[in-house]
Amino acid sequence: MASTAGRRGLRPELLGALAGLLEGPWGAPFTGALFARRVGWREAFFSGLGWLTAGMKGASPLLALWVGQGVLALWARGGGWRFAALLAFLFGGLLFQGLWLAPLGVVLAGVLPGRWRYAALGLAGVGVYGWTGLLLPLGLLLAEGLEGEGGRVQGMDVPALVYGGVLLARNMLLEVVNG
């Protein structure tokens, strides 16, 4: 992997703000940049609130990320947790307009080697956004290419909360302006 030392990437909070402002078909690359991170239930919840106020179909991309990462974590525990992982996958898939494509793409991205995970995240993007979701891996490529370490960054509390907050504020403002 080429060294990225000396290059400064976009701050994760800025990527979260851009994802919230441009959410929808053309916000996918910025939301894809957030896929380089680990998401918790609070971030998924707030992004879901913003998603609902936007009137978009299905569930938000960060909810797909949370469901897929949860399925992988439960599966890794083994034993009876694997049954819980299957249930989480089956019920979680019902939330998305592409049904199980979104969580399946996240699960595959977690287990496939190398560049295959970009294709898997494209599948997740299609499950959330439709065909424009194929732009989602571009954001992940950008985020990973600009990171100082050149690898995945864990912890996304602030960028994802910024995403959900900006998306929610944008939709509230649009509602006031459009009356």
Side-chain angles (χ1 to χ4, degrees):
M1 180 176 283
S3 172
T4 57
R7 289 193 295 180
R8 289 186 48 112
L10 294 174
R11 293 192 45 90
E13 296 81 8
L14 179 60
L15 290 172
L18 288 171
L21 282 173
L22 299 173
E23 187 53 77
W26 306 113
F30 296 105
T31 307
L34 298 177
F35 270 62
R37 303 167 184 283
R38 185 154 187 82
V39 69
W41 72 268
R42 289 177 194 89
E43 296 81 23
F45 175 75
F46 282 106
S47 75
L49 283 178
W51 191 262
L52 288 174
T53 60
M56 296 184 166
K57 297 178 183 175
S60 73
L62 295 186
L63 188 60
L65 186 59
W66 182 68
V67 168
Q69 289 173 345
V71 166
L72 287 172
L74 289 171
W75 189 268
R77 286 183 166 187
W81 291 105
R82 289 191 174 174
F83 180 71
L86 289 174
L87 286 177
F89 179 79
L90 290 175
F91 288 122
L94 294 173
L95 300 172
F96 301 94
Q97 72 174 5
L99 295 176
W100 293 275
L101 285 180
L104 177 63
V106 174
V107 167
L108 289 175
V111 297
L112 291 176
R115 302 273 182 212
W116 284 103
R117 79 189 163 109
Y118 297 112
L121 286 179
L123 183 67
V126 169
V128 172
Y129 295 109
W131 291 111
T132 56
L134 291 173
L135 296 172
L136 194 135
L138 294 177
L140 179 61
L141 276 167
L142 175 70
E144 288 182 343
L146 294 177
E147 285 297 333
E149 298 82 26
R152 298 182 81 183
V153 177
Q154 300 298 312
M156 67 181 290
D157 294 350
V158 174
L161 287 175
V162 168
Y163 160 75
V166 167
L167 181 58
L168 183 61
R170 180 197 81 166
N171 296 330
M172 288 170 50
L173 180 64
L174 287 175
E175 185 66 30
V176 169
V177 169
N178 294 332

